[in-house]
Amino acid sequence: MPKTDVVKRRNSVRRAVLLGPALVAAVAYVDPGNVAANLTGGARYGYLLVWVLVVANLMAALVQYQSAKLGIVTGKSMPQLLGARLGTKSRRAFWAQAELIAIATDVAEVIGGAIALYLLFDIPLVVGGVIVGVISMVILSSQNRLGQRTFESVIIAFLAIIAVGFLSGLLINPPDGGSIVGGLVPRFEGTGSVLLAASMLGATVMPHAIYVHSALARDRHGHATTTVERASLLRATKWDVGIALAIAGIVNLGMLLLAAANLQGVEGTDSIEGAHAAIDDALGAGMALVFAIGLLASGLASTAVGSYAGATIMEGLFLKRVPLLLRRGFTMLPALLILAIGFDPTTALVLSQVVLSFGIPFALVPLWRLTNDRRLMGEQANPPAVKAALGIVVALVVTLNVALIVLTVTGV
């Protein structure tokens, strides 16, 4: 074999070995909140909001690479870096809002898993929520007992199940290609579509995924101390992020297209249970079963990653390690209360994504400032073009959040 081919093969193997952190973070982009937001978007507005998912996924790819780069270059998680720079009061206030976002995340993930268990086994929602929480702790404990690679492998296996569960239906009744192209034109239809677009954005650009990716990269790769090592890791990370966000983007888009092609105008499809029933009617019991299994995998995997993110936030900003059981119970309790009082679970899922959208600026603005800081990042500080692109993303997200606040408060 020629020497150049050997070098190419070695580089390919090296990149494959380094893949993983972004695939774990990508699970946050296909959690049950995404399912609710995307199914609702497709069922209500057809292909109208395709462009929202495409734009959000492109923004997410840029953002997640910056987070991973921060962890690789500094050897610290983003919450750790913020905790070292903020005063005591500011640090605690920042932790409080980040903790609220973590709770909102857990609401979506626990409720989504509980709905899946109800659909599959007719288990009461509250009991299902507890089961999801317990299983997530078992998954997360694998990281402590068996190592980072084992944890990543478990989550990536769940990601594969999620992709099959949410994309299989498209093979039975493919969406209309012309309508998909038409959905790429940015536009809205009334304030309802704006609110839903904000919910979809909150479900796609996830605050806790921004925090946790820096920790995942740090925990996998450590602190890259040499220029050659950093360059190699960052090249591999670009592949990692590109592959992971492509998978997440395809799954998210697939959910919306599934609803647009099969559920638009069907009564009751604003809920996951109704969508499941409609999929059963339109595509058969087999596809409904596959969908429910994908939803369960989504809830289990994403809540484990969310707990990892919560621990990262608490360690870096609260400056204390909290036992997993206590931490898990604290963030899981609101979800169980919502289920216990009988609040509509799908509505809770969509609202949780709106709450997440409020937390995005608090994650994005510090990320932008930290990765632009040449004293911190050295030669890996963002060049002018990347600084401008990331700044545009921050501005767009903040503008959309202001619009969301105005529309919500005024009820327009």
Side-chain angles (χ1 to χ4, degrees), residues 78-104:
M78 182 177 163
Q80 282 180 317
L81 293 169
L82 291 173
R85 283 162 171 73
L86 296 173
T88 301
K89 290 183 178 180
S90 298
R91 175 173 53 77
R92 290 175 178 172
F94 198 95
W95 167 78
Q97 67 80 27
E99 195 66 35
L100 286 174
I101 296 303
I103 290 172

Side-chain angles (χ1 to χ4, degrees), residues 19-110:
L19 298 181
L23 289 166
V24 174
V27 167
Y29 291 84
V30 290
D31 77 347
N34 293 79
V35 179
N38 294 330
L39 289 179
T40 300
R44 285 186 187 175
Y45 299 104
Y47 300 90
L48 177 73
L49 299 177
V50 166
W51 68 273
V52 174
L53 288 181
V54 173
V55 170
N57 208 68
L58 291 174
M59 292 193 301
L62 174 61
V63 167
Q64 292 305 139
Y65 173 70
Q66 294 298 315
S67 176
K69 182 176 75 171
L70 188 65
I72 290 171
V73 173
T74 66
K76 295 181 179 180
S77 70
M78 182 177 163
Q80 282 180 317
L81 293 169
L82 291 173
R85 283 162 171 73
L86 296 173
T88 301
K89 290 183 178 180
S90 298
R91 175 173 53 77
R92 290 175 178 172
F94 198 95
W95 167 78
Q97 67 80 27
E99 195 66 35
L100 286 174
I101 296 303
I103 290 172
T105 301
D106 226 22
V107 165
E109 293 159 352
V110 171

Side-chain angles (χ1 to χ4, degrees), residues 252-289:
N252 277 320
L253 186 58
M255 285 187 276
L256 185 141
L257 297 179
L258 178 70
N262 298 282
L263 309 182
Q264 190 176 7
V266 178
E267 187 176 351
T269 52
D270 280 357
S271 71
I272 289 181
E273 300 96 315
H276 176 265
I279 291 171
D280 193 335
D281 291 338
L283 303 176
M287 282 299 99
L289 176 63

Side-chain angles (χ1 to χ4, degrees), residues 154-298:
V154 171
I155 298 299
I156 291 170
F158 274 113
L159 181 60
I161 296 172
I162 293 166
V164 172
F166 293 139
L167 296 178
S168 297
L170 296 177
L171 301 177
I172 305 299
N173 184 25
D176 178 68
S179 298
I180 296 174
V181 174
L184 294 173
V185 180
R187 65 195 191 281
F188 295 106
E189 287 182 3
T191 56
S193 64
V194 177
L195 289 170
L196 191 54
S199 178
M200 291 166 67
L201 178 65
T204 306
V205 184
M206 302 287 279
H208 76 288
I210 298 172
Y211 296 128
V212 77
H213 201 165
S214 58
L216 289 166
R218 174 204 63 189
D219 293 344
R220 165 66 95 86
H221 304 307
H223 181 199
T225 56
T226 68
T227 301
V228 173
E229 185 182 9
R230 278 196 298 269
S232 176
L233 289 175
L234 291 176
R235 280 195 299 270
T237 297
K238 289 179 181 178
W239 280 90
D240 193 19
V241 171
I243 293 170
L245 270 296
I247 293 172
I250 290 170
V251 172
N252 277 320
L253 186 58
M255 285 187 276
L256 185 141
L257 297 179
L258 178 70
N262 298 282
L263 309 182
Q264 190 176 7
V266 178
E267 187 176 351
T269 52
D270 280 357
S271 71
I272 289 181
E273 300 96 315
H276 176 265
I279 291 171
D280 193 335
D281 291 338
L283 303 176
M287 282 299 99
L289 176 63
V290 171
F291 173 85
I293 292 172
L295 179 63
L296 179 59
S298 171

Side-chain angles (χ1 to χ4, degrees), residues 142-154:
S142 69
Q143 194 267 342
N144 296 323
R145 293 185 294 105
L146 303 177
Q148 183 79 4
R149 290 299 300 273
T150 300
F151 174 71
E152 289 176 2
S153 297
V154 171

